[in-house]
Amino acid sequence: MRASGRAVALCEGLKKSYPGFVLGPLSLGVEHGSVVGLFGPNGSGKTTLLLMLLGLVRPTEGRALFPLANVSASMEGAGLLGDVTVGDYLSATAGVFARSGVDSYMSTRVRHLSMGNRQRLMIALMLVEDADLMVFDEPLNGLDPEGIRWFSTVLRGLKERGKTVILSSHLLQEVESFIDACIFLREGRLLYDGEFSRLRELLAQRL
């Protein structure tokens, strides 16, 4: 857990065992009002960790520590109702979504949206919830360069409002300008947990 700033504890001794794969044990925390990247190759345990933190997967050992009452999450593969229109989702909160780029699809059924526009819709729905801790699982999947720039402005706005953000990705170069700290997993093991600037220094020293 990072000692600077006001820390938000995530988990203590958290572990999940599957046949042929073990994640953890992990004891992690994040700094309040920061953007934290969760990285690792496919199969490293990123999504499993997030699901345990959100109470959607029961750990084999340990526990998640942050309260779920004020947490919102956008998980990769989570479904939107395909036959519902964008307008049905957004009619009560259209002002928020004008900035997301999906307001021009108000009469379009969700199943006809591109992957990138579905991603924008999921992110926009999270902004309406306005939780103190926001979890994004692979939020850049499907986003074009303009969409990535839009998401970066979303993150800056969340930081300015004191929100804490955790985002997972396997594309470090695409998100490195967004993040303050990072957690790296590989094959279920923790490789690094700390400030991103410090990781840059360590990598530069090795090179």
Side-chain angles (χ1 to χ4, degrees), residues 91-131:
S91 58
T93 51
V96 173
F97 297 97
R99 298 190 296 275
S100 71
V102 295
D103 56 312
S104 59
Y105 297 93
M106 297 293 273
S107 62
T108 304
R109 296 185 187 277
V110 169
R111 59 188 169 89
H112 295 311
L113 293 176
S114 67
M115 182 178 179
N117 281 326
R118 289 191 187 197
Q119 194 74 283
R120 285 177 181 247
L121 176 57
M122 290 288 291
I123 293 168
L125 288 169
M126 284 185 62
L127 298 181
V128 172
E129 294 183 27
D130 199 35

PDB file of all heavy atoms in Angstrom, residues 91-131:
ATOM      1  N   SER A  91     -32.245   9.000 -21.575  1.00  0.00           N
ATOM      2  CA  SER A  91     -33.229  10.082 -21.693  1.00  0.00           C
ATOM      3  C   SER A  91     -33.264  10.970 -20.459  1.00  0.00           C
ATOM      4  O   SER A  91     -33.472  12.183 -20.563  1.00  0.00           O
ATOM      5  CB  SER A  91     -34.620   9.500 -21.960  1.00  0.00           C
ATOM      6  OG  SER A  91     -34.987   8.603 -20.927  1.00  0.00           O
ATOM      7  N   ALA A  92     -33.066  10.395 -19.286  1.00  0.00           N
ATOM      8  CA  ALA A  92     -33.162  11.188 -18.057  1.00  0.00           C
ATOM      9  C   ALA A  92     -31.898  11.981 -17.778  1.00  0.00           C
ATOM     10  O   ALA A  92     -31.896  12.863 -16.925  1.00  0.00           O
ATOM     11  CB  ALA A  92     -33.456  10.279 -16.864  1.00  0.00           C
ATOM     12  N   THR A  93     -30.826  11.687 -18.492  1.00  0.00           N
ATOM     13  CA  THR A  93     -29.545  12.316 -18.186  1.00  0.00           C
ATOM     14  C   THR A  93     -28.818  12.734 -19.453  1.00  0.00           C
ATOM     15  O   THR A  93     -27.616  12.614 -19.563  1.00  0.00           O
ATOM     16  CB  THR A  93     -28.661  11.331 -17.404  1.00  0.00           C
ATOM     17  OG1 THR A  93     -28.623  10.087 -18.111  1.00  0.00           O
ATOM     18  CG2 THR A  93     -29.193  11.099 -16.001  1.00  0.00           C
ATOM     19  N   ALA A  94     -29.556  13.263 -20.412  1.00  0.00           N
ATOM     20  CA  ALA A  94     -28.989  13.538 -21.732  1.00  0.00           C
ATOM     21  C   ALA A  94     -27.827  14.511 -21.682  1.00  0.00           C
ATOM     22  O   ALA A  94     -26.902  14.435 -22.487  1.00  0.00           O
ATOM     23  CB  ALA A  94     -30.077  14.072 -22.659  1.00  0.00           C
ATOM     24  N   GLY A  95     -27.832  15.434 -20.730  1.00  0.00           N
ATOM     25  CA  GLY A  95     -26.763  16.419 -20.658  1.00  0.00           C
ATOM     26  C   GLY A  95     -25.398  15.796 -20.455  1.00  0.00           C
ATOM     27  O   GLY A  95     -24.409  16.243 -21.024  1.00  0.00           O
ATOM     28  N   VAL A  96     -25.336  14.767 -19.649  1.00  0.00           N
ATOM     29  CA  VAL A  96     -24.057  14.091 -19.398  1.00  0.00           C
ATOM     30  C   VAL A  96     -23.544  13.444 -20.669  1.00  0.00           C
ATOM     31  O   VAL A  96     -22.351  13.472 -20.970  1.00  0.00           O
ATOM     32  CB  VAL A  96     -24.217  13.028 -18.294  1.00  0.00           C
ATOM     33  CG1 VAL A  96     -22.947  12.196 -18.146  1.00  0.00           C
ATOM     34  CG2 VAL A  96     -24.589  13.693 -16.988  1.00  0.00           C
ATOM     35  N   PHE A  97     -24.443  12.901 -21.456  1.00  0.00           N
ATOM     36  CA  PHE A  97     -24.026  12.071 -22.579  1.00  0.00           C
ATOM     37  C   PHE A  97     -23.728  12.856 -23.844  1.00  0.00           C
ATOM     38  O   PHE A  97     -23.126  12.332 -24.764  1.00  0.00           O
ATOM     39  CB  PHE A  97     -25.095  11.016 -22.840  1.00  0.00           C
ATOM     40  CG  PHE A  97     -25.248  10.096 -21.681  1.00  0.00           C
ATOM     41  CD1 PHE A  97     -26.227  10.297 -20.743  1.00  0.00           C
ATOM     42  CD2 PHE A  97     -24.357   9.065 -21.488  1.00  0.00           C
ATOM     43  CE1 PHE A  97     -26.344   9.475 -19.643  1.00  0.00           C
ATOM     44  CE2 PHE A  97     -24.461   8.234 -20.395  1.00  0.00           C
ATOM     45  CZ  PHE A  97     -25.453   8.447 -19.467  1.00  0.00           C
ATOM     46  N   ALA A  98     -24.113  14.132 -23.871  1.00  0.00           N
ATOM     47  CA  ALA A  98     -23.748  14.942 -25.026  1.00  0.00           C
ATOM     48  C   ALA A  98     -22.229  14.995 -25.158  1.00  0.00           C
ATOM     49  O   ALA A  98     -21.707  15.107 -26.264  1.00  0.00           O
ATOM     50  CB  ALA A  98     -24.323  16.348 -24.876  1.00  0.00           C
ATOM     51  N   ARG A  99     -21.521  14.888 -24.055  1.00  0.00           N
ATOM     52  CA  ARG A  99     -20.052  14.935 -24.090  1.00  0.00           C
ATOM     53  C   ARG A  99     -19.454  13.577 -24.422  1.00  0.00           C
ATOM     54  O   ARG A  99     -18.253  13.475 -24.650  1.00  0.00           O
ATOM     55  CB  ARG A  99     -19.523  15.430 -22.742  1.00  0.00           C
ATOM     56  CG  ARG A  99     -19.965  16.838 -22.403  1.00  0.00           C
ATOM     57  CD  ARG A  99     -19.226  17.360 -21.183  1.00  0.00           C
ATOM     58  NE  ARG A  99     -19.523  16.605 -19.979  1.00  0.00           N
ATOM     59  CZ  ARG A  99     -20.573  16.849 -19.195  1.00  0.00           C
ATOM     60  NH1 ARG A  99     -21.420  17.819 -19.503  1.00  0.00           N
ATOM     61  NH2 ARG A  99     -20.773  16.132 -18.109  1.00  0.00           N
ATOM     62  N   SER A 100     -20.232  12.520 -24.379  1.00  0.00           N
ATOM     63  CA  SER A 100     -19.684  11.179 -24.589  1.00  0.00           C
ATOM     64  C   SER A 100     -19.635  10.790 -26.059  1.00  0.00           C
ATOM     65  O   SER A 100     -18.989   9.819 -26.414  1.00  0.00           O
ATOM     66  CB  SER A 100     -20.538  10.144 -23.840  1.00  0.00           C
ATOM     67  OG  SER A 100     -21.795   9.992 -24.472  1.00  0.00           O
ATOM     68  N   GLY A 101     -20.346  11.517 -26.904  1.00  0.00           N
ATOM     69  CA  GLY A 101     -20.356  11.202 -28.317  1.00  0.00           C
ATOM     70  C   GLY A 101     -21.403  10.202 -28.720  1.00  0.00           C
ATOM     71  O   GLY A 101     -21.501   9.840 -29.898  1.00  0.00           O
ATOM     72  N   VAL A 102     -22.238   9.722 -27.785  1.00  0.00           N
ATOM     73  CA  VAL A 102     -23.276   8.754 -28.134  1.00  0.00           C
ATOM     74  C   VAL A 102     -24.654   9.409 -28.226  1.00  0.00           C
ATOM     75  O   VAL A 102     -25.637   8.733 -28.502  1.00  0.00           O
ATOM     76  CB  VAL A 102     -23.328   7.582 -27.122  1.00  0.00           C
ATOM     77  CG1 VAL A 102     -22.049   6.780 -27.171  1.00  0.00           C
ATOM     78  CG2 VAL A 102     -23.594   8.081 -25.710  1.00  0.00           C
ATOM     79  N   ASP A 103     -24.718  10.728 -28.013  1.00  0.00           N
ATOM     80  CA  ASP A 103     -26.019  11.386 -28.048  1.00  0.00           C
ATOM     81  C   ASP A 103     -26.635  11.362 -29.438  1.00  0.00           C
ATOM     82  O   ASP A 103     -27.846  11.484 -29.593  1.00  0.00           O
ATOM     83  CB  ASP A 103     -25.903  12.838 -27.555  1.00  0.00           C
ATOM     84  CG  ASP A 103     -24.881  13.640 -28.334  1.00  0.00           C
ATOM     85  OD1 ASP A 103     -23.754  13.128 -28.527  1.00  0.00           O
ATOM     86  OD2 ASP A 103     -25.202  14.762 -28.746  1.00  0.00           O
ATOM     87  N   SER A 104     -25.810  11.186 -30.482  1.00  0.00           N
ATOM     88  CA  SER A 104     -26.338  11.129 -31.844  1.00  0.00           C
ATOM     89  C   SER A 104     -26.936   9.763 -32.179  1.00  0.00           C
ATOM     90  O   SER A 104     -27.467   9.568 -33.269  1.00  0.00           O
ATOM     91  CB  SER A 104     -25.232  11.461 -32.850  1.00  0.00           C
ATOM     92  OG  SER A 104     -24.148  10.568 -32.727  1.00  0.00           O
ATOM     93  N   TYR A 105     -26.849   8.811 -31.235  1.00  0.00           N
ATOM     94  CA  TYR A 105     -27.372   7.461 -31.450  1.00  0.00           C
ATOM     95  C   TYR A 105     -28.596   7.180 -30.583  1.00  0.00           C
ATOM     96  O   TYR A 105     -28.905   6.028 -30.298  1.00  0.00           O
ATOM     97  CB  TYR A 105     -26.289   6.416 -31.146  1.00  0.00           C
ATOM     98  CG  TYR A 105     -25.088   6.501 -32.045  1.00  0.00           C
ATOM     99  CD1 TYR A 105     -23.977   7.256 -31.668  1.00  0.00           C
ATOM    100  CD2 TYR A 105     -25.057   5.833 -33.268  1.00  0.00           C
ATOM    101  CE1 TYR A 105     -22.862   7.342 -32.488  1.00  0.00           C
ATOM    102  CE2 TYR A 105     -23.945   5.919 -34.096  1.00  0.00           C
ATOM    103  CZ  TYR A 105     -22.853   6.673 -33.691  1.00  0.00           C
ATOM    104  OH  TYR A 105     -21.755   6.756 -34.512  1.00  0.00           O
ATOM    105  N   MET A 106     -29.306   8.219 -30.185  1.00  0.00           N
ATOM    106  CA  MET A 106     -30.368   8.057 -29.195  1.00  0.00           C
ATOM    107  C   MET A 106     -31.436   7.058 -29.620  1.00  0.00           C
ATOM    108  O   MET A 106     -32.031   6.380 -28.786  1.00  0.00           O
ATOM    109  CB  MET A 106     -31.007   9.417 -28.881  1.00  0.00           C
ATOM    110  CG  MET A 106     -30.044  10.404 -28.249  1.00  0.00           C
ATOM    111  SD  MET A 106     -29.515   9.925 -26.594  1.00  0.00           S
ATOM    112  CE  MET A 106     -30.821  10.641 -25.607  1.00  0.00           C
ATOM    113  N   SER A 107     -31.723   6.948 -30.920  1.00  0.00           N
ATOM    114  CA  SER A 107     -32.769   6.031 -31.380  1.00  0.00           C
ATOM    115  C   SER A 107     -32.210   4.681 -31.824  1.00  0.00           C
ATOM    116  O   SER A 107     -32.956   3.820 -32.296  1.00  0.00           O
ATOM    117  CB  SER A 107     -33.562   6.667 -32.527  1.00  0.00           C
ATOM    118  OG  SER A 107     -32.712   6.920 -33.631  1.00  0.00           O
ATOM    119  N   THR A 108     -30.914   4.478 -31.673  1.00  0.00           N
ATOM    120  CA  THR A 108     -30.250   3.248 -32.112  1.00  0.00           C
ATOM    121  C   THR A 108     -30.312   2.194 -31.021  1.00  0.00           C
ATOM    122  O   THR A 108     -30.043   2.480 -29.851  1.00  0.00           O
ATOM    123  CB  THR A 108     -28.776   3.526 -32.468  1.00  0.00           C
ATOM    124  OG1 THR A 108     -28.711   4.541 -33.456  1.00  0.00           O
ATOM    125  CG2 THR A 108     -28.085   2.262 -32.959  1.00  0.00           C
ATOM    126  N   ARG A 109     -30.686   0.973 -31.404  1.00  0.00           N
ATOM    127  CA  ARG A 109     -30.660  -0.121 -30.439  1.00  0.00           C
ATOM    128  C   ARG A 109     -29.207  -0.463 -30.110  1.00  0.00           C
ATOM    129  O   ARG A 109     -28.332  -0.455 -30.980  1.00  0.00           O
ATOM    130  CB  ARG A 109     -31.391  -1.343 -30.987  1.00  0.00           C
ATOM    131  CG  ARG A 109     -32.885  -1.094 -31.222  1.00  0.00           C
ATOM    132  CD  ARG A 109     -33.591  -2.367 -31.652  1.00  0.00           C
ATOM    133  NE  ARG A 109     -34.973  -2.081 -32.020  1.00  0.00           N
ATOM    134  CZ  ARG A 109     -35.985  -1.981 -31.166  1.00  0.00           C
ATOM    135  NH1 ARG A 109     -35.749  -2.155 -29.868  1.00  0.00           N
ATOM    136  NH2 ARG A 109     -37.204  -1.712 -31.574  1.00  0.00           N
ATOM    137  N   VAL A 110     -28.986  -0.804 -28.866  1.00  0.00           N
ATOM    138  CA  VAL A 110     -27.627  -1.049 -28.391  1.00  0.00           C
ATOM    139  C   VAL A 110     -26.929  -2.131 -29.212  1.00  0.00           C
ATOM    140  O   VAL A 110     -25.740  -2.032 -29.502  1.00  0.00           O
ATOM    141  CB  VAL A 110     -27.656  -1.415 -26.893  1.00  0.00           C
ATOM    142  CG1 VAL A 110     -26.303  -1.947 -26.429  1.00  0.00           C
ATOM    143  CG2 VAL A 110     -28.058  -0.202 -26.063  1.00  0.00           C
ATOM    144  N   ARG A 111     -27.668  -3.156 -29.623  1.00  0.00           N
ATOM    145  CA  ARG A 111     -27.031  -4.251 -30.371  1.00  0.00           C
ATOM    146  C   ARG A 111     -26.502  -3.808 -31.725  1.00  0.00           C
ATOM    147  O   ARG A 111     -25.703  -4.517 -32.350  1.00  0.00           O
ATOM    148  CB  ARG A 111     -27.992  -5.429 -30.538  1.00  0.00           C
ATOM    149  CG  ARG A 111     -29.286  -5.120 -31.252  1.00  0.00           C
ATOM    150  CD  ARG A 111     -30.214  -6.335 -31.169  1.00  0.00           C
ATOM    151  NE  ARG A 111     -31.559  -6.046 -31.608  1.00  0.00           N
ATOM    152  CZ  ARG A 111     -31.966  -6.157 -32.870  1.00  0.00           C
ATOM    153  NH1 ARG A 111     -31.110  -6.561 -33.794  1.00  0.00           N
ATOM    154  NH2 ARG A 111     -33.214  -5.890 -33.202  1.00  0.00           N
ATOM    155  N   HIS A 112     -26.926  -2.616 -32.190  1.00  0.00           N
ATOM    156  CA  HIS A 112     -26.434  -2.102 -33.471  1.00  0.00           C
ATOM    157  C   HIS A 112     -25.265  -1.133 -33.306  1.00  0.00           C
ATOM    158  O   HIS A 112     -24.723  -0.650 -34.306  1.00  0.00           O
ATOM    159  CB  HIS A 112     -27.560  -1.405 -34.231  1.00  0.00           C
ATOM    160  CG  HIS A 112     -28.673  -2.322 -34.644  1.00  0.00           C
ATOM    161  ND1 HIS A 112     -28.450  -3.514 -35.288  1.00  0.00           N
ATOM    162  CD2 HIS A 112     -30.027  -2.221 -34.502  1.00  0.00           C
ATOM    163  CE1 HIS A 112     -29.614  -4.121 -35.528  1.00  0.00           C
ATOM    164  NE2 HIS A 112     -30.578  -3.355 -35.049  1.00  0.00           N
ATOM    165  N   LEU A 113     -24.867  -0.859 -32.087  1.00  0.00           N
ATOM    166  CA  LEU A 113     -23.737   0.028 -31.854  1.00  0.00           C
ATOM    167  C   LEU A 113     -22.421  -0.690 -32.133  1.00  0.00           C
ATOM    168  O   LEU A 113     -22.304  -1.899 -31.935  1.00  0.00           O
ATOM    169  CB  LEU A 113     -23.724   0.515 -30.404  1.00  0.00           C
ATOM    170  CG  LEU A 113     -24.848   1.444 -29.944  1.00  0.00           C
ATOM    171  CD1 LEU A 113     -24.698   1.726 -28.454  1.00  0.00           C
ATOM    172  CD2 LEU A 113     -24.852   2.745 -30.728  1.00  0.00           C
ATOM    173  N   SER A 114     -21.430   0.074 -32.547  1.00  0.00           N
ATOM    174  CA  SER A 114     -20.084  -0.480 -32.660  1.00  0.00           C
ATOM    175  C   SER A 114     -19.540  -0.768 -31.267  1.00  0.00           C
ATOM    176  O   SER A 114     -20.056  -0.265 -30.251  1.00  0.00           O
ATOM    177  CB  SER A 114     -19.163   0.521 -33.369  1.00  0.00           C
ATOM    178  OG  SER A 114     -18.970   1.668 -32.551  1.00  0.00           O
ATOM    179  N   MET A 115     -18.476  -1.548 -31.211  1.00  0.00           N
ATOM    180  CA  MET A 115     -17.871  -1.863 -29.919  1.00  0.00           C
ATOM    181  C   MET A 115     -17.423  -0.593 -29.209  1.00  0.00           C
ATOM    182  O   MET A 115     -17.598  -0.434 -27.993  1.00  0.00           O
ATOM    183  CB  MET A 115     -16.681  -2.801 -30.121  1.00  0.00           C
ATOM    184  CG  MET A 115     -16.016  -3.232 -28.826  1.00  0.00           C
ATOM    185  SD  MET A 115     -14.642  -4.378 -29.130  1.00  0.00           S
ATOM    186  CE  MET A 115     -14.066  -4.650 -27.458  1.00  0.00           C
ATOM    187  N   GLY A 116     -16.853   0.344 -29.984  1.00  0.00           N
ATOM    188  CA  GLY A 116     -16.387   1.583 -29.382  1.00  0.00           C
ATOM    189  C   GLY A 116     -17.510   2.406 -28.798  1.00  0.00           C
ATOM    190  O   GLY A 116     -17.373   2.985 -27.712  1.00  0.00           O
ATOM    191  N   ASN A 117     -18.648   2.482 -29.499  1.00  0.00           N
ATOM    192  CA  ASN A 117     -19.773   3.257 -28.976  1.00  0.00           C
ATOM    193  C   ASN A 117     -20.432   2.569 -27.794  1.00  0.00           C
ATOM    194  O   ASN A 117     -20.948   3.231 -26.886  1.00  0.00           O
ATOM    195  CB  ASN A 117     -20.787   3.525 -30.087  1.00  0.00           C
ATOM    196  CG  ASN A 117     -20.347   4.656 -30.994  1.00  0.00           C
ATOM    197  OD1 ASN A 117     -19.720   5.607 -30.549  1.00  0.00           O
ATOM    198  ND2 ASN A 117     -20.667   4.550 -32.279  1.00  0.00           N
ATOM    199  N   ARG A 118     -20.418   1.238 -27.764  1.00  0.00           N
ATOM    200  CA  ARG A 118     -20.894   0.541 -26.564  1.00  0.00           C
ATOM    201  C   ARG A 118     -20.006   0.880 -25.374  1.00  0.00           C
ATOM    202  O   ARG A 118     -20.490   1.079 -24.258  1.00  0.00           O
ATOM    203  CB  ARG A 118     -20.899  -0.973 -26.790  1.00  0.00           C
ATOM    204  CG  ARG A 118     -21.963  -1.469 -27.737  1.00  0.00           C
ATOM    205  CD  ARG A 118     -22.047  -2.977 -27.687  1.00  0.00           C
ATOM    206  NE  ARG A 118     -22.954  -3.492 -28.714  1.00  0.00           N
ATOM    207  CZ  ARG A 118     -23.467  -4.696 -28.708  1.00  0.00           C
ATOM    208  NH1 ARG A 118     -23.156  -5.540 -27.730  1.00  0.00           N
ATOM    209  NH2 ARG A 118     -24.276  -5.106 -29.671  1.00  0.00           N
ATOM    210  N   GLN A 119     -18.705   0.936 -25.645  1.00  0.00           N
ATOM    211  CA  GLN A 119     -17.777   1.273 -24.572  1.00  0.00           C
ATOM    212  C   GLN A 119     -18.038   2.690 -24.059  1.00  0.00           C
ATOM    213  O   GLN A 119     -18.057   2.945 -22.856  1.00  0.00           O
ATOM    214  CB  GLN A 119     -16.339   1.157 -25.091  1.00  0.00           C
ATOM    215  CG  GLN A 119     -15.277   1.162 -24.028  1.00  0.00           C
ATOM    216  CD  GLN A 119     -15.203  -0.141 -23.266  1.00  0.00           C
ATOM    217  OE1 GLN A 119     -16.033  -0.409 -22.396  1.00  0.00           O
ATOM    218  NE2 GLN A 119     -14.214  -0.953 -23.583  1.00  0.00           N
ATOM    219  N   ARG A 120     -18.261   3.623 -24.978  1.00  0.00           N
ATOM    220  CA  ARG A 120     -18.575   4.993 -24.578  1.00  0.00           C
ATOM    221  C   ARG A 120     -19.857   5.039 -23.738  1.00  0.00           C
ATOM    222  O   ARG A 120     -19.943   5.780 -22.758  1.00  0.00           O
ATOM    223  CB  ARG A 120     -18.742   5.877 -25.813  1.00  0.00           C
ATOM    224  CG  ARG A 120     -17.443   6.266 -26.507  1.00  0.00           C
ATOM    225  CD  ARG A 120     -17.750   7.076 -27.751  1.00  0.00           C
ATOM    226  NE  ARG A 120     -16.571   7.480 -28.484  1.00  0.00           N
ATOM    227  CZ  ARG A 120     -16.164   8.735 -28.619  1.00  0.00           C
ATOM    228  NH1 ARG A 120     -16.843   9.704 -28.043  1.00  0.00           N
ATOM    229  NH2 ARG A 120     -15.085   9.035 -29.320  1.00  0.00           N
ATOM    230  N   LEU A 121     -20.850   4.260 -24.138  1.00  0.00           N
ATOM    231  CA  LEU A 121     -22.112   4.233 -23.405  1.00  0.00           C
ATOM    232  C   LEU A 121     -21.906   3.707 -21.985  1.00  0.00           C
ATOM    233  O   LEU A 121     -22.429   4.272 -21.013  1.00  0.00           O
ATOM    234  CB  LEU A 121     -23.125   3.371 -24.154  1.00  0.00           C
ATOM    235  CG  LEU A 121     -24.489   3.157 -23.483  1.00  0.00           C
ATOM    236  CD1 LEU A 121     -25.174   4.485 -23.190  1.00  0.00           C
ATOM    237  CD2 LEU A 121     -25.378   2.272 -24.367  1.00  0.00           C
ATOM    238  N   MET A 122     -21.133   2.631 -21.846  1.00  0.00           N
ATOM    239  CA  MET A 122     -20.870   2.074 -20.521  1.00  0.00           C
ATOM    240  C   MET A 122     -20.149   3.086 -19.636  1.00  0.00           C
ATOM    241  O   MET A 122     -20.469   3.256 -18.455  1.00  0.00           O
ATOM    242  CB  MET A 122     -20.026   0.801 -20.655  1.00  0.00           C
ATOM    243  CG  MET A 122     -20.748  -0.374 -21.264  1.00  0.00           C
ATOM    244  SD  MET A 122     -21.988  -1.093 -20.153  1.00  0.00           S
ATOM    245  CE  MET A 122     -20.943  -1.807 -18.888  1.00  0.00           C
ATOM    246  N   ILE A 123     -19.172   3.785 -20.210  1.00  0.00           N
ATOM    247  CA  ILE A 123     -18.432   4.781 -19.444  1.00  0.00           C
ATOM    248  C   ILE A 123     -19.351   5.925 -19.038  1.00  0.00           C
ATOM    249  O   ILE A 123     -19.329   6.397 -17.891  1.00  0.00           O
ATOM    250  CB  ILE A 123     -17.232   5.297 -20.259  1.00  0.00           C
ATOM    251  CG1 ILE A 123     -16.209   4.174 -20.457  1.00  0.00           C
ATOM    252  CG2 ILE A 123     -16.583   6.501 -19.576  1.00  0.00           C
ATOM    253  CD1 ILE A 123     -15.124   4.487 -21.473  1.00  0.00           C
ATOM    254  N   ALA A 124     -20.191   6.354 -19.973  1.00  0.00           N
ATOM    255  CA  ALA A 124     -21.104   7.452 -19.674  1.00  0.00           C
ATOM    256  C   ALA A 124     -22.088   7.080 -18.572  1.00  0.00           C
ATOM    257  O   ALA A 124     -22.415   7.903 -17.705  1.00  0.00           O
ATOM    258  CB  ALA A 124     -21.859   7.855 -20.947  1.00  0.00           C
ATOM    259  N   LEU A 125     -22.567   5.851 -18.580  1.00  0.00           N
ATOM    260  CA  LEU A 125     -23.473   5.401 -17.524  1.00  0.00           C
ATOM    261  C   LEU A 125     -22.790   5.441 -16.158  1.00  0.00           C
ATOM    262  O   LEU A 125     -23.409   5.776 -15.145  1.00  0.00           O
ATOM    263  CB  LEU A 125     -23.967   3.981 -17.822  1.00  0.00           C
ATOM    264  CG  LEU A 125     -24.968   3.850 -18.975  1.00  0.00           C
ATOM    265  CD1 LEU A 125     -25.169   2.385 -19.349  1.00  0.00           C
ATOM    266  CD2 LEU A 125     -26.300   4.486 -18.606  1.00  0.00           C
ATOM    267  N   MET A 126     -21.498   5.129 -16.124  1.00  0.00           N
ATOM    268  CA  MET A 126     -20.766   5.206 -14.868  1.00  0.00           C
ATOM    269  C   MET A 126     -20.642   6.640 -14.374  1.00  0.00           C
ATOM    270  O   MET A 126     -20.692   6.904 -13.174  1.00  0.00           O
ATOM    271  CB  MET A 126     -19.382   4.583 -15.030  1.00  0.00           C
ATOM    272  CG  MET A 126     -19.388   3.078 -15.061  1.00  0.00           C
ATOM    273  SD  MET A 126     -17.711   2.408 -15.113  1.00  0.00           S
ATOM    274  CE  MET A 126     -17.026   2.994 -13.573  1.00  0.00           C
ATOM    275  N   LEU A 127     -20.493   7.583 -15.301  1.00  0.00           N
ATOM    276  CA  LEU A 127     -20.359   8.979 -14.891  1.00  0.00           C
ATOM    277  C   LEU A 127     -21.620   9.475 -14.207  1.00  0.00           C
ATOM    278  O   LEU A 127     -21.553  10.300 -13.291  1.00  0.00           O
ATOM    279  CB  LEU A 127     -20.039   9.853 -16.110  1.00  0.00           C
ATOM    280  CG  LEU A 127     -18.735   9.541 -16.843  1.00  0.00           C
ATOM    281  CD1 LEU A 127     -18.538  10.489 -18.003  1.00  0.00           C
ATOM    282  CD2 LEU A 127     -17.553   9.598 -15.886  1.00  0.00           C
ATOM    283  N   VAL A 128     -22.759   8.976 -14.626  1.00  0.00           N
ATOM    284  CA  VAL A 128     -24.018   9.372 -13.997  1.00  0.00           C
ATOM    285  C   VAL A 128     -24.072   8.877 -12.556  1.00  0.00           C
ATOM    286  O   VAL A 128     -24.584   9.563 -11.661  1.00  0.00           O
ATOM    287  CB  VAL A 128     -25.218   8.842 -14.802  1.00  0.00           C
ATOM    288  CG1 VAL A 128     -26.521   9.080 -14.057  1.00  0.00           C
ATOM    289  CG2 VAL A 128     -25.262   9.526 -16.160  1.00  0.00           C
ATOM    290  N   GLU A 129     -23.536   7.676 -12.297  1.00  0.00           N
ATOM    291  CA  GLU A 129     -23.558   7.129 -10.939  1.00  0.00           C
ATOM    292  C   GLU A 129     -22.730   7.965  -9.973  1.00  0.00           C
ATOM    293  O   GLU A 129     -23.029   8.039  -8.782  1.00  0.00           O
ATOM    294  CB  GLU A 129     -23.043   5.684 -10.954  1.00  0.00           C
ATOM    295  CG  GLU A 129     -23.947   4.733 -11.716  1.00  0.00           C
ATOM    296  CD  GLU A 129     -23.443   3.310 -11.635  1.00  0.00           C
ATOM    297  OE1 GLU A 129     -22.760   2.962 -10.636  1.00  0.00           O
ATOM    298  OE2 GLU A 129     -23.697   2.535 -12.566  1.00  0.00           O
ATOM    299  N   ASP A 130     -21.669   8.605 -10.477  1.00  0.00           N
ATOM    300  CA  ASP A 130     -20.892   9.564  -9.688  1.00  0.00           C
ATOM    301  C   ASP A 130     -20.351   8.952  -8.395  1.00  0.00           C
ATOM    302  O   ASP A 130     -20.377   9.584  -7.334  1.00  0.00           O
ATOM    303  CB  ASP A 130     -21.741  10.798  -9.373  1.00  0.00           C
ATOM    304  CG  ASP A 130     -20.881  11.997  -8.984  1.00  0.00           C
ATOM    305  OD1 ASP A 130     -19.783  12.133  -9.533  1.00  0.00           O
ATOM    306  OD2 ASP A 130     -21.316  12.770  -8.108  1.00  0.00           O
ATOM    307  N   ALA A 131     -19.855   7.734  -8.455  1.00  0.00           N
ATOM    308  CA  ALA A 131     -19.312   7.067  -7.271  1.00  0.00           C
ATOM    309  C   ALA A 131     -17.948   7.644  -6.913  1.00  0.00           C
ATOM    310  O   ALA A 131     -17.276   8.272  -7.738  1.00  0.00           O
ATOM    311  CB  ALA A 131     -19.191   5.570  -7.535  1.00  0.00           C
TER     312      ALA A 131
END
